[in-house]
Amino acid sequence: QNRNEIKNGTILRLTTSPARNAQDLHERIQSSSMDSKLEALKDLASLSRDVTFAQEFINLDGIFLLTQMVESGTERYQKLQKIMKPCFGDMLSFTLTAFVELMDHGIVSWDTFSVAFIKKIASFVNKSGMDTSILQRSLAILESMVLNSHDLYQKVAQEITIGQLIPHLQGTDQEIQTYTIAVINALFLKAPDERRQEMANILAQKQLRSIILTHVIRAQRAINNEMAHQLYVLQVLTFNLLEDRMMTKMDPQDQAQRDIIFELRRIAFDAEPEPNASSGSMEKRKSMYTRDYKKLGFINHVNPAMDFTQTPPGMLALDNMLYFAKQHQDAYIRIVLENSSREDKHECPFGRSSIELTKMLCEILKVGELPSETCNDFHPMFFTHDRSFEEFFCICIQLLNKTWKEMRATSEDFNKVMQVVKEQVMRALSTKPSSLDQFKSKLQNLSYTEILKIRQSERMNQEDFQSRPILELKEKIQPEILELIKQQRLNRLVEGTCFRKLNSRRRQDKFWYCRLSPNHKVLHYGDLEESPQGEVPHDSLQDKLPVADIKAVVTGKDCPHMKEKGALKQNKEVLELAFSILYDSNCQLNFIAPDKHEYCIWTDGLNALLGKDMLSDLTRNDLDTLLSMEIKLRLLDLENIQIPDAPPPIPKEPSNYDFVYDCN
């Protein structure tokens, strides 16, 4: 059927068909000879990556056979184990590897496994001194079970406790640590809402945070991408516990909640005990309270509870204020008294600014959003304190007060101050401080005057030429520049890009490569074993798609491969990187770009091939940069100045370097 696709001069290698291979291995792994069984399992582990083979092997009920071997294996080989311990370990390791690979293709549903199998896998994780490869595969299987099936989540959660997983984090093997955190994240993610807080309390009890800080973040080795991703997921899931409070409105009738506001007032103003409440003093106290609430900076002086009815930030803002007042009492009293002694319009309203700041911090940390599948943006400083969000708030509220003073702000400038504070916080976070103190010192250096300088220099770089002659010149130059960008995009498509295949788990990345032919007529693509180093030879890309057959290019939610995925998979980040080529009658080629830059290059290049406009952010930025550069060049005063054709010669090296001064 497909012999026309074989290129002339290609060397053909005859090999057994996947069906034959599957049949053969199915028999060999049931052999009574230990050696041939071991050999067969080893072959199975490597062949299972191939989807055609996997399909054939699964059709022979291969997965059921493997689970049976795992379940019964331990009893049957108990005696053998004493004699042939290494052999037994290898067998189990190959069996589990084959199982993971076969399940990764998503052919068989996870719901079909027995409790005995889950118990067996859990026992490998719970046993100490287990072989690393067995432990790694077992953790991977547990993670997939939890993520892919609600029933299995409940069974796994009964079998495995956080306490049994913690010791694996205290080892030195980063792979095992990564898989362990992945299992904890999966259990956390799938836990029903009412159980999440309970689980967080167990994690706090077992000191998970400090163990991760000591054995992972501060260990003497670099953190790889997969580990960074799992730490990011844990960070997001931890902050998402705040969502409940963030979306809870205050009930003005609830006495316990009103007591918190009384407590804030008491800590700030009541050094002496209250006088006895008589009918006369009742009115007095009411007016005194109103005056105090005004000093505390609430918008509603008479009933401050009304300030907390907006969600977000809801009750979370009040929790933060109480934490600040109790844990950092001196700073709290100083801020409130300092502001109450200023003129009315110059005071920084503590209540209002705390509520707005809490809302802003929730936006920065994306509280309530699901973790992205590709992001690995974790902040080490949030792992240094059990109440890191509250501490983060305490640092930022003091910063807000300081910036308010530096800006000499009045109540009309409230939003301007908030914008500056947001910029200060974002810039300090982008440096990834390793502790809260380091974050604090970074903010010290980012004073309002410093922010103004940064803004000024950024404005200088984006000089805006708005006069009419220059706008006309821009219009005249624009088509050439767009043509230049188009050529660059097409050249990048000719070089090609390596894409990841989207599978149910992020592990064992499978890659494929796609490139445009030099004559811009055909797209060549094909699977790769691993991420390519250097150039990919043309003949390794077997499939092709003529550009003339392309009907349309769709992105994001419109892509067919984004519609199929479950709610969890339809992740914002992945959606932003997805695009598909539609051709023939409902055929498509689906892509997930490695990053935003490649996404823009490919969508622009494909649109250029189809004669459409290039609309990506990258094109806009490139156009702005090249246009402003070209205009600056054309506006240079070059009257009577000879521009050389050749670059100036590089001067000879000096005879010695005695003049170099080392500033360090």
Side-chain angles (χ1 to χ4, degrees):
Q1 277 177 350
N2 59 3
R3 68 172 188 269
N4 305 337
E5 291 175 22
I6 301 167
K7 293 194 187 107
N8 199 6
T10 309
I11 295 172
L12 282 184
R13 196 159 49 92
L14 282 179
T15 175
T16 42
S17 68
R20 177 82 177 274
N21 260 342
Q23 186 63 52
D24 179 38
L25 281 174
H26 192 267
E27 287 160 12
R28 279 169 56 207
I29 58 175
Q30 297 180 68
S31 146
S32 51
S33 148
M34 277 301 253
D35 289 344
S36 60
K37 191 173 195 146
L38 185 62
E39 204 53 47
L41 285 167
K42 191 174 180 178
D43 293 346
L44 179 64
S46 64
L47 280 171
S48 297
R49 285 184 188 168
D50 175 45
V51 67
T52 326
F53 169 82
Q55 187 69 65
E56 294 289 352
F57 190 73
I58 289 168
N59 291 346
L60 295 170
D61 225 359
I63 287 196
F64 177 66
L65 182 64
L66 290 180
T67 52
Q68 272 197 320
M69 285 170 66
V70 171
E71 282 173 38
S72 62
T74 358
E75 289 78 40
R76 194 184 307 168
Y77 299 122
Q78 209 88 53
K79 295 169 190 158
L80 281 170
Q81 204 179 346
K82 294 188 179 89
I83 322 160
M84 313 173 65
K85 193 155 193 227
C87 172
F88 171 71
D90 288 348
M91 272 176 73
L92 188 52
S93 168
F94 291 138
T95 310
L96 294 177
T97 307
F99 177 79
V100 170
E101 294 287 359
L102 290 168
M103 288 306 292
D104 246 7
H105 298 297
I107 300 167
V108 180
S109 156
W110 280 93
D111 286 319
T112 51
F113 297 108
S114 66
V115 179
F117 179 68
I118 298 167
K119 283 193 157 133
K120 188 60 72 184
I121 297 291
S123 73
F124 298 147
V125 173
N126 296 341
K127 245 186 238 164
S128 55
M130 207 59 189
D131 184 57
T132 331
S133 58
I134 296 174
L135 181 57
Q136 188 183 320
R137 303 290 182 277
S138 304
L139 288 165
I141 292 169
L142 289 177
E143 185 203 3
S144 292
M145 283 178 170
V146 172
L147 288 178
N148 290 305
S149 155
H150 181 66
D151 291 350
L152 290 187
Y153 156 72
Q154 291 170 321
K155 289 171 186 164
V156 172
Q158 286 167 359
E159 288 304 319
I160 209 139
T161 63
I162 301 296
Q164 290 160 328
L165 290 169
I166 296 274
H168 300 313
L169 286 174
Q170 291 164 321
T172 51
D173 187 323
Q174 199 173 31
E175 282 266 284
I176 298 292
Q177 290 176 326
T178 308
Y179 279 96
T180 307
I181 297 177
V183 173
I184 293 173
N185 285 339
L187 288 168
F188 215 141
L189 192 62
K190 289 294 174 181
D193 292 346
E194 65 279 2
R195 272 221 16 121
R196 271 191 200 164
Q197 190 58 55
E198 187 188 321
M199 193 170 159
N201 297 341
I202 296 170
L203 293 178
Q205 240 176 13
K206 302 282 181 197
Q207 294 180 320
L208 176 74
R209 181 195 59 73
S210 56
I211 288 170
I212 289 178
L213 185 68
T214 315
H215 295 278
V216 180
I217 297 174
R218 292 189 177 159
Q220 299 300 309
R221 61 169 178 271
I223 289 177
N224 61 30
N225 282 350
E226 187 56 46
M227 175 59 94
H229 172 73
Q230 293 303 344
L231 290 172
Y232 152 80
V233 173
L234 185 61
Q235 174 185 298
V236 172
L237 294 175
T238 311
F239 284 143
N240 280 358
L241 292 169
L242 304 168
E243 187 185 11
D244 190 31
R245 291 296 277 173
M246 179 177 88
M247 300 314 283
T248 304
K249 289 183 180 183
M250 182 164 187
D251 175 5
Q253 276 15 86
D254 186 328
Q255 190 56 44
Q257 294 180 356
R258 287 171 59 189
D259 284 348
I260 299 178
I261 297 178
F262 283 137
E263 182 68 4
L264 286 173
R265 197 206 131 272
R266 188 192 62 72
I267 295 173
F269 302 115
D270 280 2
E272 68 284 340
E274 294 192 4
N276 292 331
S278 65
S279 56
S281 69
M282 201 54 190
E283 284 304 310
K284 222 188 223 168
R285 276 173 60 196
K286 220 170 194 172
S287 69
M288 185 176 80
Y289 279 1
T290 305
R291 192 190 67 229
D292 288 351
Y293 290 144
K294 186 169 182 292
K295 286 181 185 174
L296 274 172
F298 288 112
I299 298 171
N300 193 318
H301 310 152
V302 182
N303 184 3
M306 300 308 290
D307 287 12
F308 297 96
T309 51
Q310 182 203 2
T311 60
M315 288 297 289
L316 186 59
L318 190 58
D319 296 344
N320 281 341
M321 290 163 78
L322 184 66
Y323 181 88
F324 180 51
K326 286 193 161 175
Q327 303 299 324
H328 301 267
Q329 201 164 340
D330 294 347
Y332 167 68
I333 293 172
R334 193 184 68 245
I335 286 178
V336 174
L337 296 184
E338 213 174 73
N339 285 307
S340 55
S341 61
R342 285 192 198 145
E343 293 171 59
D344 270 5
K345 64 173 191 172
H346 276 290
E347 67 172 6
C348 171
F350 174 72
R352 183 184 171 195
S353 49
S354 294
I355 292 167
E356 284 302 316
L357 180 68
T358 303
K359 185 178 174 182
M360 184 179 89
L361 297 183
C362 287
E363 280 166 16
I364 291 175
L365 296 175
K366 298 186 174 136
V367 173
E369 284 187 26
L370 275 177
S372 135
E373 284 205 348
T374 49
C375 183
N376 46 22
D377 182 26
F378 82 98
H379 293 280
M381 72 175 199
F382 292 128
F383 288 86
T384 59
H385 200 285
D386 285 328
R387 302 286 294 274
S388 57
F389 184 77
E390 289 88 339
E391 287 292 328
F392 183 43
F393 168 84
C394 295
I395 294 170
C396 295
I397 192 73
Q398 292 175 66
L399 164 78
L400 191 148
N401 198 53
K402 172 172 165 279
T403 304
W404 184 282
K405 284 190 289 192
E406 288 171 357
M407 289 175 73
R408 296 196 174 85
T410 62
S411 42
E412 284 90 64
D413 301 324
F414 187 82
N415 290 338
K416 282 185 195 163
V417 178
M418 291 308 288
Q419 282 168 356
V420 174
V421 170
K422 184 170 188 175
E423 192 171 336
Q424 289 169 314
V425 172
M426 296 287 277
R427 285 184 186 278
L429 275 180
S430 67
T431 61
K432 293 279 168 72
S434 60
S435 66
L436 289 159
D437 289 337
Q438 208 176 343
F439 174 65
K440 211 184 281 184
S441 62
K442 287 266 190 299
L443 288 175
Q444 287 296 332
N445 301 333
L446 280 170
S447 61
Y448 176 55
T449 41
E450 188 58 34
I451 290 286
L452 282 182
K453 276 185 204 162
I454 294 171
R455 283 181 177 179
Q456 183 66 29
S457 70
E458 283 175 358
R459 245 199 311 272
M460 294 284 286
N461 293 338
Q462 298 168 344
E463 276 179 85
D464 213 358
F465 304 110
Q466 289 304 341
S467 62
R468 235 185 86 213
I470 291 189
L471 291 176
E472 284 172 9
L473 180 60
K474 263 187 177 178
E475 269 176 42
K476 194 177 156 198
I477 301 172
Q478 193 159 330
E480 309 169 22
I481 300 237
L482 277 170
E483 184 56 35
L484 182 71
I485 293 172
K486 177 181 166 182
Q487 286 311 320
Q488 187 270 343
R489 300 292 190 264
L490 293 174
N491 291 344
R492 279 288 288 102
L493 262 60
V494 171
E495 276 176 37
T497 301
C498 176
F499 295 96
R500 268 184 170 158
K501 285 198 169 182
L502 194 68
N503 61 359
S504 55
R505 296 198 358 265
R506 300 178 78 255
R507 304 275 185 290
Q508 291 124 5
D509 290 334
K510 296 187 171 61
F511 299 96
W512 67 288
Y513 200 85
C514 186
R515 71 148 70 94
L516 180 64
S517 62
N519 64 3
H520 300 180
K521 296 274 176 64
V522 183
L523 281 172
H524 295 277
Y525 60 96
D527 289 354
L528 293 178
E529 282 303 309
E530 66 233 13
S531 183
Q533 309 298 325
E535 189 135 341
V536 174
H538 261 290
D539 49 7
S540 67
L541 306 176
Q542 298 295 340
D543 303 301
K544 58 186 178 188
L545 163 62
V547 172
D549 292 356
I550 297 178
K551 296 263 190 349
V553 175
V554 291
T555 59
K557 280 188 178 143
D558 303 328
C559 296
H561 59 315
M562 288 294 110
K563 289 175 183 163
E564 298 156 10
K565 295 285 157 196
L568 179 74
K569 297 282 179 288
Q570 269 205 31
N571 213 294
K572 212 160 145 196
E573 275 311 285
V574 176
L575 268 176
E576 285 172 3
L577 298 175
F579 60 98
S580 297
I581 295 175
L582 308 180
Y583 63 96
D584 290 353
S585 53
N586 56 37
C587 291
Q588 74 257 355
L589 193 56
N590 297 325
F591 298 77
I592 300 280
D595 51 47
K596 194 74 185 157
H597 182 80
E598 286 294 328
Y599 169 82
C600 294
I601 294 272
W602 273 84
T603 48
D604 283 346
L606 292 168
N607 280 328
L609 280 175
L610 300 177
K612 294 181 181 169
D613 290 339
M614 300 181 290
L615 301 169
S616 75
D617 299 345
L618 188 63
T619 298
R620 264 204 304 279
N621 293 345
D622 287 353
L623 185 63
D624 290 347
T625 311
L626 293 169
L627 256 180
S628 70
M629 202 160 73
E630 186 67 25
I631 283 179
K632 282 177 188 171
L633 282 173
R634 293 200 182 192
L635 294 179
L636 281 176
D637 188 9
L638 294 178
E639 203 63 42
N640 299 326
I641 293 176
Q642 203 60 43
I643 299 176
D645 294 330
I650 296 170
K652 281 213 308 272
E653 277 201 39
S655 53
N656 63 41
Y657 288 91
D658 295 346
F659 56 86
V660 174
Y661 177 69
D662 185 2
C663 305
N664 301 328

